[in-house]
């Protein structure tokens, strides 16, 4: 599938979805739309992902594409009216539009009419399916081993860790699959339940449903975690994923140097052993699970030597192997989970 | 407000909402509708609540009423078509209808038309308000002390414990209020957010919003807990309430003799000290909270002596005072929380 990625004024650092797609999705990215960095190439900003030209808008995308993907998720998940000409242009060309915004594009009358007229489809990945329900507590019954990424905070690298673990597992010959729970994971994988948008009673059930659907087709499932069990706002989603997944093993994700909850600076992160104890003791009554490895995001650490030191210190604190899967290699911790 | 309670074929044991209203609500209950026990009186079945005649349907309710309240919540929360004549009759008399079902009566075209025509209102208490959002982590900033009831399982008596604690506190001269989180509590109190129906990302926020709204008007808030932190399906809601409430003190609720998770019999309840540790260690990173007392539901224990023994054993296990607030007196544990 050939796609353009809309990331106006936010590429690359605040375009988490666009980066995830460039790095992991099985899409051929024809162009990134960002009026601020138009004229540059992706490779000048993010060296280790597929390259593409950065252009100012759909008018500069000459090649044919199958879809326009909204590659940014502003706080609040609203739709910026300045993006409307690009979405309209894509729909007028008969393309699909994929969006992880809270604002559902399919419910925008103008977009819906254009999609109808030109035969494109609008996929709002954050709209939960209608058939979700409460968990039955049966995820552990599937044939696959289940691993879940958990975090010390939001935005520490759980989605990245999940993707890298599955890639490493596949390279090592395992039949591994991602269980996507957030908008980037869902866009990358092409399916999944947006767990943070389901009815709260169905949080665990929305994860279980995915595991039951895929669990007998694979040897290993890696469930993309969300938030953190100590997060003042998002811990409910974290807890529902933990219990719904009924994982055998947990991988703790952390960002080097993070000391306060992102956006909630009055709340301190806990010592790493506290996270290990909390996740394990909370999982145990539903399904025994051990934190067997760690993934450390060292993007703010200067130099590989300092990053290696940070990774080693993190490994010591959690009592298992650890790595930065982007800077180093996820294969280092794969042994601990399979 | 004068009300009739619809509880067909389920009064009293499976009519949790009806029982809660009879016991706690500031409503004058004119009649209970139950075609199975019609002709009896409430007092024959539930001795220690307000009495009322039980009748077969709205046609037998001669007195004027302000509202018909659906007093039962079948599994799945659906609407039974056999209740339709009673709801229709109430609306035709210009009465309001109050429902905690998942099926929203206001979206039933026939009911909506009748309400319009005759001037009654339909209040679907389980429909979340539109203005909910994520928690900011500020509940603890209100003037009131915050207490939260937590449980070893669903349906062990958290709503009852909450109501009894607030009543006891008021009798002792405190300005106490309930923060209602479930359909019965919301109907009894006449306001509240149905936390199990909100978007999962807003679970903590929907509790915080209520506390911020009421917290400076009272000395003591008792937050009605939901589910259990070890429940395979509902722990997300429990966790969101725990962190959204930022309680100072927790009251652990349990039912004597309960050994397996209700409806999830393959999952065992944990030893009481495990619950104490789990709730306290999970609360601490957001707001330190101590389990200071317990409420034991002894409805299945024969005789007050055996019940007293069960309460004492429970108190020993959790390391604080305990009572059965219905059989004995909530005042016994009030001292621990104020």
């Amino acid at each position: 599938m050939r796609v353009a990625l809309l990331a106006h004024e936010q590429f690359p650092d605040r375009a988490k979805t666009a980066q995830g797609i460039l790095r992991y999705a099985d899409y051929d990215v024809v162009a990134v739309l960002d009026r601020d960095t138009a004229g540059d190439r992706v490779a000048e900003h993010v060296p280790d992902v597929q390259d593409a030209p950065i252009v100012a808008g759909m008018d500069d995308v000459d090649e044919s594409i199958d879809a326009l993907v909204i590659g940014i998720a502003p706080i609040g998940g609203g739709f910026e009216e300045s993006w409307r000409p690009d979405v309209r242009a894509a729909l007028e060309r008969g393309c699909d539009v994929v969006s992880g915004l809270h604002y559902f594009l399919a419910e925008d009358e103008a977009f819906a009419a254009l999609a109808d007229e030109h035969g494109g489809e609008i996929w709002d990945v954050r709209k939960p399916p209608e058939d979700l329900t409460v968990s039955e507590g049966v995820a552990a019954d599937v044939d696959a081993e289940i691993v879940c990424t958990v975090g010390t905070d939001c935005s520490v690298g759980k989605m990245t860790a999940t993707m890298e673990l599955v890639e490493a597992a596949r390279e090592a010959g395992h039949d591994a699959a991602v269980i996507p729970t957030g908008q980037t994971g869902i866009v990358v994988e092409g399916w999944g339940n947006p767990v943070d948008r389901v009815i709260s009673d169905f949080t665990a059930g929305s994860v279980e449903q995915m595991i039951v659907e895929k669990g007998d087709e694979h040897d290993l499932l890696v469930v993309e975690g969300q938030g953190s069990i100590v997060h003042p706002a998002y811990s409910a989603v974290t807890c529902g994923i933990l219990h719904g997944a009924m994982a055998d093993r947990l991988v703790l994700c952390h960002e080097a140097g993070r000391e306060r909850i992102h956006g909630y600076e009055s709340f301190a992160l806990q010592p790493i052993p506290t996270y290990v104890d909390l996740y394990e003791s909370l999982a145990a009554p539903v399904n025994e699970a051990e934190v067997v490895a760690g993934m450390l995001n060292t993007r703010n650490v200067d130099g590989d030597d300092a990053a290696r030191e940070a990774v080693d210190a993190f490994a010591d604190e959690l009592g298992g192997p650890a790595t930065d899967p982007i800077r180093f290699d996820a294969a280092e911790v794969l042994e601990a989970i399979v």
Side-chain angles (χ1 to χ4, degrees), chain A:
Chain A
M1 195 154 109
R2 295 162 61 79
V3 306
L5 297 180
L6 187 151
H8 282 308
E9 300 168 22
Q10 303 197 29
F11 191 81
D13 288 345
R14 288 178 295 147
K16 189 169 142 180
T17 299
Q19 281 213 45
I21 290 167
L22 285 163
R23 192 179 296 280
Y24 299 114
D26 200 17
Y27 296 152
D28 183 5
V29 178
V30 170
V32 169
L33 277 49
D34 181 358
R35 58 177 78 92
D36 279 1
T37 47
D40 295 355
R41 294 192 65 87
V42 166
E44 296 167 54
H45 297 275
V46 191
D48 52 352
V49 302
Q50 62 172 301
D51 194 20
I54 305 178
V55 301
M58 278 300 293
D59 290 347
D60 299 324
V61 178
D62 298 327
E63 298 180 71
S64 80
I65 58 168
D66 301 304
L68 173 67
V69 181
I70 311 296
I72 42 188
I75 290 169
F79 181 78
E80 295 281 335
E81 282 304 316
S82 68
W83 307 340
R84 187 170 287 273
D86 290 319
V87 174
R88 200 163 47 211
L91 290 169
E92 282 168 354
R93 286 160 70 159
C95 298
D96 297 342
V97 173
V98 179
S99 165
L101 299 173
H102 276 292
Y103 177 85
F104 295 141
L105 301 192
E107 293 175 8
D108 181 298
E109 283 180 26
F111 292 152
L114 280 176
D116 262 1
E117 188 181 343
H118 299 280
E121 285 192 17
I122 297 172
W123 182 32
D124 287 303
V125 305
R126 217 154 183 177
K127 186 167 183 128
E130 300 283 338
D131 63 346
L132 296 177
T133 184
V134 298
S135 173
E136 295 178 32
V138 298
D141 297 348
V142 301
D143 290 339
E145 289 287 297
I146 303 171
V147 172
C148 185
T149 54
V150 295
T152 59
D153 192 3
C154 289
S155 300
V156 294
K158 290 178 290 290
M159 189 274 290
T160 299
T162 302
M163 297 295 167
E164 295 287 337
L165 272 174
V166 166
E167 276 195 6
R170 285 176 179 159
E171 281 166 22
H174 300 282
D175 180 358
V178 172
I179 299 295
T181 61
Q183 71 263 32
T184 304
I186 296 171
V187 173
V188 167
E189 295 295 313
W191 74 288
N193 289 333
V195 177
D196 63 357
R197 278 285 292 202
V198 307
I199 287 174
S200 59
D201 243 6
F202 301 164
T203 310
S206 70
V207 177
E208 179 186 78
Q209 186 210 48
M210 293 190 284
I211 291 174
V212 168
E213 188 183 327
K214 299 287 179 180
D216 293 333
E217 297 169 17
H218 300 278
D219 306 328
L220 173 69
L221 302 179
V222 183
V223 180
E224 177 195 9
Q226 296 289 338
S228 168
I229 201 60
V230 306
H231 197 287
Y234 304 129
S235 62
V237 173
T238 310
C239 186
I241 293 174
L242 185 72
H243 283 155
M246 299 181 76
D248 306 291
R249 296 177 185 84
L250 307 175
V251 174
L252 182 63
C253 304
H254 180 51
E255 183 177 13
R258 183 84 64 101
E259 291 178 355
R260 319 292 302 178
I261 299 284
H262 179 66
Y264 292 75
E265 307 296 323
S266 65
F267 297 89
L269 260 64
Q270 301 296 302
I272 297 302
T274 300
Y275 286 102
V276 173
D277 288 349
L278 263 180
Y279 280 115
E280 290 183 353
S281 59
L282 187 58
V286 176
N287 202 59
E288 293 268 355
E290 198 184 337
V291 175
V292 294
M295 294 287 202
L296 188 70
N297 179 340
T298 64
R299 64 182 161 186
N300 291 321
V301 177
D302 272 345
D304 286 357
D305 288 350
R308 175 60 69 188
E309 268 178 45
V311 163
D312 289 346
F314 181 54
D316 281 350
E317 286 184 290
L318 69 85
T323 190
D324 179 332
I326 298 294
R327 190 190 289 260
F328 305 120
D329 193 344
E332 301 184 34
V333 306
L334 185 66
E335 266 183 50
I337 69 160
V338 289

